[in-house]
């Protein structure tokens, strides 16, 4: 029998910047995917607690040539997922290009090709709204200072109802610099409720920030603001940036992330209710004496109250929805027919022939030749999945089918720093087990342990991931000694906005001709 409660996080891995929508009795979620492909993951749930990964909305990033190499912190930032006119819509900001939109009749597609709705540098975190009462459409977005020189403000536009263009030049509708104590205002989600325009938007930075709510009778303001979720005396740092969803029975819930270092941004589920008005402030117009004295600036249907009176919950009653069997996004893979599961993403747009389909099980990766063989962070042909947020062990079997000197393949932990263990063909034809790493400031990898012979040209590889993302590498090369630890403990690190990743790769030094393949079988992640 299913428990009557759930515990946070409900998605304990890097599902960054989540947004959620309900269609009938089904809930769907998407998240940032940055420079990995395919992008825009699509998750499904019937109870808001158990989620499965059902696909991706973006097969390749565009322009394709710019994403033919890893751009870990670029690409798809903070998407919004909506359902309108019997179609699913996703809007996202590429900080170097502008605001994009795609749509589809079903969550599994087919999705349209990306349409550039608004070009410009630093345009991020867009969210549309179709006002069912008036038939008008709107868009709000934030700004990335790294590209535009501007941040801490939200810009609003009128939008064509078909989502193909904007109808004005835009206006700043919330200026965080004019709100005492607020900084790094971003990630807006736009709603219509109880006669108000609502913007749910976080501020204060990903590690230490809070969730804000803004409301106005008109889309262009003026808006009142309130902090509706913050850490308080809990151990959930920076609880913010996500989406509000209402169940068919009328319950309200809010999904958001928590930044957890190398584990990335894990997803929490908070109960939500609408409380009495209380104190609020309005910016953008002269304040009334009542507002200045701390009274209610304007009466209305109340404000959202998230979590336990504004503090994140660790355990809570489940949503009043039909019980569902336990589920989570897949991690294990037998690679049937040489195909990899939905949980895997390349570190850039995939190239032809990187993975070969065949009639049996197991993943065959081509030993792609590269001048950057000394640095996994620069390689587009690394197949990755998210590192779990709880202690676990990742294990895979590897056979190196390459006679090319310097050809290698392995199992990696990727971030600003990286470490990997695997097999490499020597100049004398011998296959060795090698274990290498690179610090965040290092330009190339170096040995983390002395190489040892792998007499059969195959090995079982394992990475045990403990508390604090501390990783212990080990391998069994079939010499009768079983698994033996290799090198010192390696502490995983995130990329700037991306949690650490587990990766499989095969490569060879630069040169001419086919360099062979590597075969991976039985990829498993087990709880420690």
């Amino acid at each position: 029998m299913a428990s009557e409660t759930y515990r946070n996080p409900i998605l304990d891995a890097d599902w960054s910047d989540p947004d959620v929508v309900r269609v009938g009795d089904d809930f769907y979620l998407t998240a940032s995917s940055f420079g990995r492909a395919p992008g825009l993951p699509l998750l499904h749930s019937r109870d808001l607690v158990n989620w499965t990964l059902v696909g991706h909305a973006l097969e390749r990033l565009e322009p394709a040539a710019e994403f033919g190499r890893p751009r870990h912190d670029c690409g798809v930032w903070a998407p919004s997922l909506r359902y309108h006119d019997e179609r699913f819509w996703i809007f996202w900001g590429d900080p170097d290009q502008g605001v994009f939109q795609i749509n589809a009749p079903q969550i599994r597609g087919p999705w349209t090709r990306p349409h550039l709705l608004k070009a410009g540098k630093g345009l991020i975190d867009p969210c549309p709204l179709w006002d069912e009462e008036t038939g008008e459409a709107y868009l709000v977005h934030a700004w990335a200072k790294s590209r535009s020189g501007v941040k801490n403000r939200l810009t609003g536009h009128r939008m064509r109802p078909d989502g193909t263009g904007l109808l004005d030049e835009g206006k700043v509708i919330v200026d965080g610099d004019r709100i005492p104590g607020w900084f790094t205002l971003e990630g807006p989600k736009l709603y219509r409720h109880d006669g108000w325009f609502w913007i749910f938007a976080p501020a204060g930075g990903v590690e230490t920030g809070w969730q804000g709510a803004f409301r106005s009778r008109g889309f262009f303001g003026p808006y009142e603001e309130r902090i509706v979720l913050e850490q308080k005396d809990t151990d959930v740092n920076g609880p913010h940036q996500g989406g509000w969803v209402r169940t068919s029975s009328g319950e309200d819930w809010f999904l958001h992330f928590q930044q957890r270092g190398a584990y990335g941004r894990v997803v929490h589920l908070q109960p939500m209710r609408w409380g009495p008005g209380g104190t609020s402030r309005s910016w953008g117009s002269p304040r009334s004496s009542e507002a200045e004295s701390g009274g209610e600036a304007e009466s209305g249907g109340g404000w959202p109250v998230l979590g336990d009176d504004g503090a994140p919950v660790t355990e809570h009653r489940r949503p009043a929805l039909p019980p569902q069997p336990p589920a989570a996004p897949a991690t294990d893979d037998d690679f049937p027919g040489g195909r990899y599961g939905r949980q895997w993403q390349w570190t850039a747009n995939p190239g032809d022939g990187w993975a070969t389909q065949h009639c049996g099980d197991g993943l065959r990766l081509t030993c792609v030749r590269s001048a950057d063989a000394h640095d996994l962070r620069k390689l587009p042909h690394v197949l990755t999945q998210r590192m779990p947020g709880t202690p676990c062990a990742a294990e895979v079997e590897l056979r190196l089918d390459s006679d090319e000197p310097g050809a290698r393949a392995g199992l990696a932990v990727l971030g600003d720093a990286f470490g990997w263990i695997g097999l490499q063909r020597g100049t004398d034809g011998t296959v060795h087990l090698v274990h290498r790493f690179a610090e965040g400031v290092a330009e190339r990898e170096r040995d983390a342990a002395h190489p040892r012979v792998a007499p059969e040209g195959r090995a079982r590889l394992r990475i045990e991931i403990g508390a604090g993302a501390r990783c212990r590498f080990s391998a069994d090369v079939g010499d009768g000694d079983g698994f033996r630890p290799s090198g010192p403990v390696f502490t995983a690190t995130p990329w700037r906005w991306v949690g650490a990743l587990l990766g499989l790769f095969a490569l060879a030094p630069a040169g001419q001709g086919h360099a062979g393949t590597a075969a991976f079988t039985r990829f498993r992640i087990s709880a420690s």
Side-chain angles (χ1 to χ4, degrees), residues 171-223:
K171 174 186 175 182
V172 175
I173 58 176
V174 179
D175 186 346
D177 290 345
R178 300 181 63 180
I179 307 174
W182 284 57
F183 61 96
T184 318
L185 175 65
E186 57 187 355
K189 296 293 182 284
L190 183 59
Y191 307 96
R192 197 87 158 93
H193 173 66
D194 197 30
W196 298 86
F197 288 90
W198 288 91
I199 300 174
F200 286 34
V206 296
E207 294 185 351
T208 59
W210 58 87
Q211 179 66 36
F214 300 81
R215 71 178 187 181
S216 173
R217 291 298 187 185
F219 172 70
F220 288 103
Y223 281 86

Side-chain angles (χ1 to χ4, degrees), residues 344-386:
W344 298 96
Q345 296 170 289
W346 300 100
T347 46
N349 282 338
D352 293 335
W354 288 358
T356 304
Q357 295 183 9
H358 54 90
C359 60
D361 288 348
L363 177 68
R364 292 181 185 171
L365 292 183
T366 299
C367 293
V368 178
R369 292 188 180 275
S370 174
D372 294 316
H374 59 280
D375 191 342
L376 297 185
R377 295 165 296 196
K378 297 180 178 180
L379 300 181
H381 54 277
V382 182
L383 194 60
T384 68
Q385 65 168 280
R386 294 160 179 82

Side-chain angles (χ1 to χ4, degrees), residues 57-134:
L58 188 63
E59 183 177 350
R60 303 173 70 89
L61 292 97
E62 296 187 3
E66 292 193 17
F67 289 95
R69 57 183 175 83
R71 302 179 68 199
H72 303 295
D73 300 328
C74 302
V76 177
W77 283 24
S80 292
L81 175 62
R82 293 293 181 266
Y83 187 77
H84 166 72
D85 196 23
E86 297 185 347
R87 297 186 74 84
F88 290 90
W89 302 77
I90 299 179
F91 288 66
W92 76 91
D94 180 317
D96 299 303
Q97 299 185 72
V99 174
F100 285 93
Q101 171 261 107
I102 57 176
N103 59 86
Q106 304 291 334
I107 195 68
R108 291 173 174 82
W111 290 85
T112 59
R113 288 192 62 177
H115 170 70
L116 185 59
L117 187 68
K118 180 182 181 182
K121 295 282 189 179
L123 309 179
I124 58 170
D125 309 351
C127 184
L129 172 69
W130 287 271
D131 189 336
E132 303 298 341
E133 296 179 10
T134 65

Side-chain angles (χ1 to χ4, degrees), residues 225-237:
E225 93 281 345
R226 171 166 297 176
I227 294 175
V228 293
L229 184 70
E230 56 187 324
Q231 180 171 356
K232 296 191 176 180
D233 61 354
T234 74
D235 60 0
V236 181
N237 61 294

